[in-house]
Amino acid sequence: MASPRTEQPRIGGAVPRVSWKPALVVLVILGLTGWSAAGVGFDLVELLSSTGPIERFISGMFPPDLSARTLQTTARGVLETFQMSFLGALMGAVVAFPLAAFATGEDATVGASRGERLLRVVPYHLSRFILNVFRSVPDILWALVFVVALGLGPFPGTLALAVHSAGILGKLLSETLESVPSRPVEALRATGAGALQAFLFGRLPQAISGFTSLTLYQWECNIRSATILGFVGAGGIGQQILISMNLFDYPKVATLVGATIVAVLVVDRFSAAVRRRLVY
Amino acid sequence: MTSSPRSKEPSARGFALEKAVVSFRGTAALDGATLEVEPGERLAVVGASGAGKTTLFRVLTRGVALSGGRVTVGGRDLYSLSKGELKGVRRRIGSIYQAYNLVPQLPAGVNAALGEVGGMGALATLRTFLAGPDAALASRVAGALDRVGLGDKARARTADLSGGQQQRVAVARLLVQSPDLVLADEPFAAVDPVTTERVFEALLELNHEGATLMVNLHDVGLARRFPRVVALREGQVAFDGPPERLSEEALNEIYAGDDPHQEVVLPEPQGDGGPKEPIQLAEGRDGVSSH
């Protein structure tokens, strides 16, 4: 096929030969590094010379406070965080699903009229836009919004997690739906199946395990996020951590942080184990 | 609702291409192909890889855009039908592919039932999705699976079946659909000899029951078992007639540029207990074209 080469072909190794392009890239990275370090006031000396306060903080945490009252508060905080993360992921998934279905680009149908295309394009872009807004606002900002609207407590925190989860899951699910093998879907369309039928029987069965896995992963992310949301008053164990920190009650902080780590690890392991068992 | 859809819908048995042109990014896959097929006919399509065989099949379900010429199915211009009319025509056309194109996560029985999905309304679709096919459809599915020898596999996950079994599920889907026109695109390219015979017989049976049958083949020996052979070359019909007239010379012309000694790699027959000899490929010219 290819025309015969007249010159000796140069293949080269895996590492590109030195040229001005990689050199420029290295220069740009170095420049960005210096600029950013200066911007944030990066000071290694300060970090190394301020070991005193860090030492005091850490040694102050030991022994952790294991009194009955603290354990009770910790347990309540952990459970609340767990509930927030679970509900957040579930509600997020429920909201994400229809949005993702509309945000899934169907292959161009041959001969579709202008009106038909418009009918498809409008919900597509609308749901993409909603998902983008949901996703690009961090959950802690959503929490601030909901705390202002609904007051302090775990409920606004849960809503914040749900909205952010919906944004992330919606995007990932629509990508999963778009990337499933299209030939079975086309085969259905070729026998006269409509858009709904091709979606339900062609795309969805191929994407459902992926969606379950993504939702479980989002739950893992939520339990980590839920520990932070308390800092803005949106419930969960973070609220307890913040209070204890402000009271310099470091032994109690140690207990709370330790319990948080355990809770996160448990959910991570559980979710990973379930995801491993999913059949694709 | 699902039992007697045939009477209401127009037939799609005969079809014709008049100087059909289909291009993909400037390259013509079909370049003025003209072909007329009468209702109930049985024909094989041969040709080198890239000769336009698959495109010929896709153009008949309006799966690709037509840049020139005319395609009529059942006497009606396929590319000027409304969306609803197109669905009606597509309902009457059954397809079977080299890669099976089943939904691997669904049970075999549901895949077979999908032959009927085009005829369902939104409510029936949802009901089938949630609760499975209704009694009438379920018994047709069971009958179809029985006919292809997979009566006990209705609940098996399709992905867990062997390639040969999956192709038989695809045939069962055809039987459930009971189309007027059967388009088989390299249906034997990836299955063992036993499945080949079985699928071949099922297709012939559909043809005897009145359906028009067009099979895309890379195996010229198999193509000679059809009363009419159409050869494509560079998007045009290079030969159209009974297999006796298809001389060695004509074949060489058709496959010119395609390496005749090219090795044909067949996937191992999977667990069907079929004999392991390769399928008769003495006359196979273009190998297994990848899709």
Side-chain angles (χ1 to χ4, degrees), chain A residues 87-99 162 166 169 211 215:
Chain A
L87 261 187
L90 190 72
M91 284 161 59
V94 169
V95 173
F97 184 76
L99 285 172
L169 285 175
F211 184 44
T215 307

Side-chain angles (χ1 to χ4, degrees), chain B residues 51-64:
Chain B
K53 288 177 292 177
T54 299
T55 309
L56 169 66
F57 279 63
R58 292 181 67 190
V59 87
L60 286 170
T61 51
R62 208 162 112 178
V64 285

Side-chain angles (χ1 to χ4, degrees), chain B:
Chain B
M1 188 181 309
T2 51
S3 52
S4 64
R6 302 199 74 155
S7 49
K8 277 183 263 166
E9 277 158 10
S11 151
R13 293 176 63 209
F15 63 87
L17 275 74
E18 289 166 43
K19 297 204 171 73
V21 180
V22 175
S23 331
F24 297 112
R25 287 175 210 93
T27 320
L30 278 187
D31 196 5
T34 297
L35 178 69
E36 197 170 329
V37 176
E38 298 295 325
E41 258 198 277
R42 178 167 86 237
L43 68 152
V45 179
V46 296
S49 313
K53 288 177 292 177
T54 299
T55 309
L56 169 66
F57 279 63
R58 292 181 67 190
V59 87
L60 286 170
T61 51
R62 208 162 112 178
V64 285
L66 189 69
S67 19
R70 228 166 91 94
V71 178
T72 51
V73 175
R76 302 197 302 166
D77 187 346
L78 188 66
Y79 279 79
S80 60
L81 295 179
S82 72
K83 206 172 155 191
E85 289 170 325
L86 176 65
K87 268 184 78 169
V89 171
R90 282 178 169 174
R91 288 251 313 109
R92 307 307 324 136
I93 303 177
S95 297
I96 179 167
Y97 310 84
Q98 172 182 351
Y100 330 127
N101 293 1
L102 303 166
V103 184
Q105 290 82 0
L106 295 178
V110 174
N111 262 308
L114 289 182
E116 191 55 60
V117 77
M120 293 177 193
L123 262 179
T125 302
L126 277 178
R127 190 162 1 99
T128 309
F129 179 72
L130 296 172
D134 60 21
L137 181 54
S139 76
R140 275 168 65 201
V141 167
L145 284 174
D146 269 338
R147 256 176 88 178
V148 297
L150 291 176
D152 55 333
K153 298 280 186 202
R155 284 170 187 281
R157 217 172 99 94
T158 305
D160 296 339
L161 300 178
S162 74
Q165 288 172 328
Q166 291 195 35
Q167 193 61 302
R168 277 142 69 190
V169 173
V171 171
R173 181 167 69 180
L174 267 187
L175 294 172
V176 168
Q177 191 188 354
S178 82
D180 294 334
L181 168 62
V182 177
L183 303 175
D185 190 7
E186 305 263 12
F188 314 122
V191 295
D192 58 281
V194 173
T195 307
T196 296
E197 273 311 314
R198 205 160 193 157
V199 171
F200 192 50
E201 268 159 34
L203 293 179
L204 287 185
E205 237 172 276
L206 273 168
N207 178 238
H208 288 313
E209 287 164 14
T212 312
L213 172 63
M214 181 157 84
V215 186
N216 190 342
L217 290 171
H218 68 268
D219 182 354
V220 180
L222 215 50
R224 287 190 188 278
R225 289 165 68 177
F226 285 77
R228 181 180 175 188
V229 177
V230 168
L232 290 182
R233 178 167 157 72
E234 288 173 0
Q236 292 178 342
V237 175
F239 174 89
D240 186 355
E244 305 85 68
R245 274 185 32 219
L246 194 61
S247 64
E248 197 56 34
E249 230 168 70
L251 273 175
N252 284 335
E253 181 73 16
I254 291 158
Y255 286 102
D258 223 38
D259 182 5
H261 302 297
Q262 169 187 346
E263 208 173 316
V264 175
V265 186
L266 272 184
E268 285 280 305
Q270 296 162 35
D272 255 9
K276 294 262 161 119
E277 304 95 72
I279 187 172
Q280 72 262 44
L281 279 168
E283 289 189 272
R285 300 294 179 124
D286 74 336
V288 180
S289 33
S290 54
H291 290 266

